[in-house]
Amino acid sequence: MTADDSRESVPTRDRVVAEAMRLFGERGYTATTVAAIEEAAGLSPGSGALYKHFRSKADILTEGIGRLIDEGASLRALLGGSSEEPQAAALDQLPLRARMAFVANAGLGRMEQERDFNRILVRDLKDFPNLLDRAGEDEIRGNHRGLTRWLAAQADDGHGDQDWEALAAVAMDATAHYWLLRDVFGGEHPTGVSPQRYVTALAGMVAALVAGHEPAGPGPGPGNDDRHA
């Protein structure tokens, strides 16, 4: 089977969404024309064939964002320990730091899976407030809630006073920023730190906090130094 045959076996609507999201991610929403989407999806460019499947380019974006959010269900299931996610049971058997590394790798994998979504989120969704709100709630806050609960569940009973919401936000933001810089710089982080080294360092820091090796509250600093109390 040739590449063209393989593409033709995919329903036209799915091809249109996949190619449109790729182009939106690469070029930006405004710079991507309907004709370009048609050509990429194997339709006659400029023919209007796309409108047999979608009313507008904005409708394609809406469906594409929805599909990418739905694809994150496996990560949320993993963090929730769902029996429907086979890796969840195996994850529980790993040592603490290995569990943290596994989840960090899963987070980086999710960022790569949703590459087009990330680019569109940063560049274009400000012009689509309803989609921006959905991305914030269903993707970002949904993953944050799952990670918060998962981190808290990893702690021993004696170390349950950590700010799990803040720790989850730090871990998520650090991972997202690392991935975004790699994407901007063509796949290699400008510091030269590889994904493996990054994950090892992040997993070690988070594992230490989860295990209670660092104080849970704010340390000395502007406004936090008890000498000024």
Side-chain angles (χ1 to χ4, degrees):
M1 178 181 291
T2 67
D4 287 340
D5 291 335
S6 177
R7 184 172 70 169
E8 290 301 322
S9 69
V10 177
T12 301
R13 186 180 180 90
D14 293 342
R15 293 205 311 273
V16 168
V17 173
E19 293 298 335
M21 294 300 287
R22 178 181 64 80
L23 291 172
F24 294 158
E26 291 176 355
R27 304 178 183 182
Y29 175 84
T30 302
T32 301
T33 65
V34 167
I37 297 170
E38 289 173 331
E39 182 175 17
L43 304 174
S44 179
S47 66
L50 178 148
Y51 295 111
K52 295 179 182 178
H53 305 277
F54 293 94
R55 292 177 299 175
S56 66
K57 193 169 70 169
D59 280 351
I60 304 173
L61 177 64
T62 298
E63 180 153 336
I65 293 295
R67 291 187 183 197
L68 285 170
I69 290 173
D70 289 343
E71 288 171 2
S74 61
L75 177 58
R76 290 187 286 275
L78 175 68
L79 294 174
S82 171
S83 59
E84 297 178 3
E85 175 51 57
Q87 294 176 314
L91 180 61
D92 291 340
Q93 306 305 313
L94 297 175
L96 178 60
R97 184 173 295 197
R99 294 200 299 273
M100 298 301 158
F102 189 98
V103 170
N105 273 315
L108 279 178
R110 173 61 178 155
M111 292 292 294
E112 186 61 31
Q113 179 189 33
E114 60 182 9
R115 178 197 64 186
D116 299 323
F117 171 86
N118 295 326
R119 292 172 175 177
I120 295 165
L121 173 65
V122 171
R123 183 174 52 209
D124 297 305
L125 284 197
K126 65 182 184 298
D127 297 324
F128 299 89
N130 290 339
L131 291 179
L132 185 63
D133 287 346
R134 183 179 179 188
E137 176 58 33
D138 295 347
E139 178 69 11
I140 298 172
R141 285 190 287 275
N143 286 338
H144 176 253
R145 287 191 293 267
L147 183 58
T148 297
R149 290 191 295 267
W150 185 81
L151 286 172
Q154 310 311 303
D156 295 333
D157 291 340
H159 302 299
D161 56 349
Q162 188 64 251
D163 187 344
W164 302 113
E165 286 188 346
L167 183 57
V170 168
M172 284 179 60
D173 290 352
T175 302
H177 189 265
Y178 176 83
W179 183 91
L180 284 169
L181 282 181
R182 287 187 70 219
D183 189 54
V184 167
F185 284 88
E188 182 175 350
H189 198 274
T191 62
V193 174
S194 68
Q196 181 179 6
R197 291 173 59 202
Y198 166 80
V199 165
T200 298
L202 179 63
M205 289 189 294
V206 176
L209 289 168
V210 169
H213 296 167
E214 295 291 341
N224 292 325
D225 192 335
D226 58 11
R227 291 175 299 176
H228 301 291

